[in-house]
Amino acid sequence: DVKVTQSSRYLVKRTGEKVFLECVQDMDHENMFWYRQDPGLGLRLIYFSYDVKMKEKGDIPEGYSVSREKKERFSLILESASTNQTSMYLCASSLYYQETQYFGPGTRLLVL
Amino acid sequence: KQEVTQIPAALSVPEGENLVLNCSFTDSAIYNLQWFRQDPGKGLTSLLLIQSSQREQTSGRLNASLDKSSGRSTLYIAASQPGDSATYLCAVSSGGGADGLTFGKGTHLIIQP
């Protein structure tokens, strides 16, 4: 079975802090994705990566950056956390283009 | 820009009923469509993926259909059970390459025992 893990289930940070969210997949998938999920807005794509060191902006990249130094790991970085980044963050991976995406359990981030 | 709509937003039915969840999308130029379920506070579990060239996919009591030209998909759940209670999300892949999915806001389903 595909396993996508996220470093934290719950995280509380202060405004202005630098925040790292880590995602690891164990199935040698090429593609990895970061989404955020908010009530009333649904899931929205922040960034995705189709190879090591490669990244593409999604629909809402502002205030975020990403890093993919190894194939299995994709990090989401909040350079200076703000209260409007309080959300549920979901990581996903897929083997190739247009294949099934597998999701991690999510990280619920609260920025105070 | 692709938009995905799911109707109804919420549904409550007695156990044992067959039911249909609806999904529509504005741009018919999609590569595939996926149905997911999400339990409260959890991540998403993939249920079915339909490629744009396919008309339907089946997995156990679930059957998903796709009518690309009209921009519609349905998820049919047969003989519903309380364990089917969850939020069901529809998502489409519209772009080339490894782009992400565009999601609907989901249908919150409750199966009454």
Side-chain angles (χ1 to χ4, degrees), chain A residues 9-10 31-33 35 37 40-45 48-50 59 88 90 94 97-106 108, chain B residues 1 31-32 34 36 38 40-46 48-49 51 87 89 93-105:
Chain A
R9 292 302 307 275
Y10 301 95
N31 308 316
M32 297 187 75
F33 308 84
Y35 296 88
Q37 185 176 29
L41 296 176
L43 277 96
R44 293 175 292 166
L45 179 67
F48 64 93
S49 168
Y50 52 91
D59 297 321
M88 172 75 132
L90 291 157
S94 66
Y97 297 165
Q98 314 308 336
E99 298 265 334
T100 299
Q101 288 192 20
Y102 296 90
F103 280 77
R108 192 169 292 280
Chain B
K1 185 185 171 187
Y31 286 84
N32 62 46
Q34 273 188 261
F36 296 88
Q38 185 175 31
K42 303 285 181 63
L44 278 64
T45 300
S46 179
L48 291 163
L49 180 145
Q51 300 292 352
T87 296
L89 295 158
S93 176
S94 303
D99 65 332
L101 299 169
T102 302
F103 283 84
K105 291 184 172 58

Side-chain angles (χ1 to χ4, degrees), chain B residues 55-99:
Chain B
R55 297 284 293 184
E56 65 179 305
Q57 281 284 343
T58 298
S59 176
R61 294 183 293 108
L62 305 179
N63 176 276
S65 68
L66 174 64
D67 184 342
K68 201 173 81 159
S69 61
S70 69
R72 294 180 187 277
S73 175
T74 61
L75 179 67
Y76 175 83
I77 303 176
S80 58
Q81 303 170 358
D84 295 330
S85 298
T87 296
Y88 289 80
L89 295 158
C90 166
V92 299
S93 176
S94 303
D99 65 332

Side-chain angles (χ1 to χ4, degrees), chain A residues 4-57:
Chain A
V4 180
T5 56
Q6 296 184 228
S7 51
S8 306
R9 292 302 307 275
Y10 301 95
L11 212 50
V12 180
K13 296 292 181 181
R14 297 237 174 245
T15 302
E17 280 193 72
K18 191 168 186 176
V19 181
F20 293 86
L21 303 182
E22 304 285 338
C23 175
V24 177
Q25 49 92 5
D26 67 354
M27 286 301 292
D28 203 33
H29 281 182
E30 299 289 326
N31 308 316
M32 297 187 75
F33 308 84
W34 276 106
Y35 296 88
R36 64 178 281 178
Q37 185 176 29
D38 300 287
L41 296 176
L43 277 96
R44 293 175 292 166
L45 179 67
I46 305 172
Y47 266 99
F48 64 93
S49 168
Y50 52 91
D51 201 353
V52 174
K53 297 192 185 295
M54 306 304 289
K55 60 187 179 184
E56 292 286 343
K57 293 180 180 178

